[in-house]
Amino acid sequence: MRSSIIDTIMLSEKRRDLMLYLSKGSKTREEIVEALEANWNLLKQPVKELKDAGLIFQKDNDYRLSNNGQLMITSLMPLLKMVNTFSSESDYWVTRNLQAVPHHLAKRMGELENSSVLTLSLDSMFEPLKHFLENTAVKRRLKIVISLFDPEAPRILKDFAEKNIEILLIFEKHTYEKMNESFGDELKSLNDYENVNFFMIEEEINPPEIVLGDEEMTIIFFNLNGKYDYRELLSSDNASLDWGNELFDYYKGISKPLVEK
């Protein structure tokens, strides 16, 4: 019976979407049709199957989850969100190297379900940081993990530092060494600002490149070969931003300050 109930929820997108929608509270037939963007004739069978399984109740024109249905959907919510995340951009996620994502956050990648994948155009694919910052509004703070050699980064970020934007900048170790060798003076000048703080990850990991603004985020997860393939994940919803901030804080926790202030 237990596996049958789980199958009822998981093996049908319509049943799954209906239960997720009803988890927000009792809904009328008209509200369900509008929210799921489906003709009621296509929803009759999923509704019947959920009623037969004791997962939803109907009273007149209102539908709601049963107590069992509410418990099931609450327990399955993280898994359902994970399914939504990976199924919506399956060709992208199946080729991502996620080894640098800590286990406690990897289990919650369903929180990225509302993110979208962008393939950068030819004129911006080699400057992903510049592309993001030119297309988002930053008023208070920037949190950045740099894992790609970026000659433009010191100049671009200096413009934000001069606007009194707080900048927390974490470097992947080998990326910092290469950039410091080529642009040491520019990096030192940037780090001299009181509102700029540099950190370097001490562990031998290849973290994704992250740019967190006030209301938007981009993450570059490298492919299975550890390479940048000009695709990035864009997010602006609260759940994704919270996840991204926790990932940034994790990397900051395994980093050392490059200059004490």
Side-chain angles (χ1 to χ4, degrees):
M1 174 63 73
R2 184 176 302 169
S3 62
S4 176
I5 290 178
I6 293 176
D7 289 349
T8 298
I9 300 172
M10 298 298 293
L11 298 184
S12 164
E13 184 176 357
K14 284 188 172 62
R15 292 194 298 261
R16 193 166 65 239
D17 290 347
L18 180 57
M19 288 198 67
L20 285 170
Y21 183 54
L22 292 180
S23 69
K24 302 174 183 178
S26 176
K27 303 295 180 183
T28 65
R29 178 186 300 182
E30 292 74 23
E31 289 172 326
I32 293 171
V33 166
E34 181 178 358
L36 272 58
E37 298 180 345
N39 186 287
W40 183 252
N41 288 331
L42 297 176
L43 295 173
K44 283 182 179 179
Q45 186 61 28
V47 167
K48 180 181 184 302
E49 291 163 347
L50 290 172
K51 288 169 64 176
D52 290 345
L55 296 172
I56 68 172
F57 286 142
Q58 176 187 358
K59 183 177 181 180
D60 298 327
N61 194 40
D62 290 327
Y63 297 81
R64 66 175 178 85
L65 293 179
S66 66
N67 289 337
N68 285 348
Q70 188 67 58
L71 288 171
M72 289 291 294
I73 202 66
T74 300
S75 299
L76 289 172
M77 192 74 78
L79 177 58
L80 293 173
K81 288 179 177 291
M82 189 83 79
V83 170
N84 287 340
T85 296
F86 292 146
S87 62
S88 63
E89 300 282 358
S90 58
D91 62 327
Y92 170 78
W93 286 111
V94 76
T95 60
R96 294 308 97 187
N97 184 342
L98 303 176
Q99 291 182 343
V101 178
H103 182 64
H104 71 282
L105 288 173
K107 292 191 301 182
R108 291 169 41 206
M109 291 193 71
E111 293 171 25
L112 299 174
E113 64 177 335
N114 293 317
S115 302
S116 58
V117 175
L118 173 68
T119 300
L120 295 182
S121 61
L122 184 62
D123 61 347
S124 57
M125 61 175 52
F126 298 109
E127 299 176 329
L129 175 63
K130 179 181 178 181
H131 176 264
F132 177 79
L133 293 177
E134 285 182 345
N135 290 279
T136 190
V138 179
K139 299 178 181 178
R140 297 185 301 108
R141 176 185 295 172
L142 276 171
K143 295 180 176 181
I144 302 172
V145 176
I146 290 189
S147 298
L148 293 167
F149 182 83
D150 189 342
E152 289 291 302
R155 180 189 63 79
I156 295 169
L157 294 176
K158 186 176 181 180
D159 291 340
F160 284 90
E162 290 176 347
K163 297 174 184 176
N164 206 33
I165 302 293
E166 180 184 2
I167 300 174
L168 301 176
L169 192 57
I170 300 174
F171 290 91
E172 185 273 330
K173 180 167 62 175
H174 300 294
T175 302
Y176 175 76
E177 291 170 352
K178 292 177 183 177
M179 290 188 65
N180 192 46
E181 182 179 346
S182 300
F183 307 102
D185 291 341
E186 291 88 341
L187 288 177
K188 183 181 183 306
S189 175
L190 176 61
N191 201 22
D192 282 343
Y193 284 86
E194 286 297 320
N195 52 311
V196 177
N197 289 279
F198 281 14
F199 303 86
M200 184 176 71
I201 296 175
E202 297 188 279
E203 297 185 14
E204 288 288 343
I205 61 173
N206 188 24
E209 177 136 323
I210 304 170
V211 187
L212 272 158
D214 299 322
E215 298 178 351
E216 292 182 284
M217 168 182 74
T218 181
I219 302 181
I220 295 174
F221 290 108
F222 300 111
N223 65 21
L224 293 175
N225 295 319
K227 303 298 183 181
Y228 167 49
D229 58 3
Y230 317 119
R231 291 192 285 179
E232 60 184 30
L233 198 71
L234 297 176
S235 310
S236 59
D237 63 293
N238 289 336
S240 297
L241 293 176
D242 288 346
W243 190 93
N245 273 290
E246 288 189 49
L247 183 60
F248 180 90
D249 290 343
Y250 168 78
Y251 292 134
K252 186 171 179 288
I254 60 173
S255 301
K256 67 176 183 180
L258 287 176
V259 176
E260 296 287 351
K261 295 187 178 181

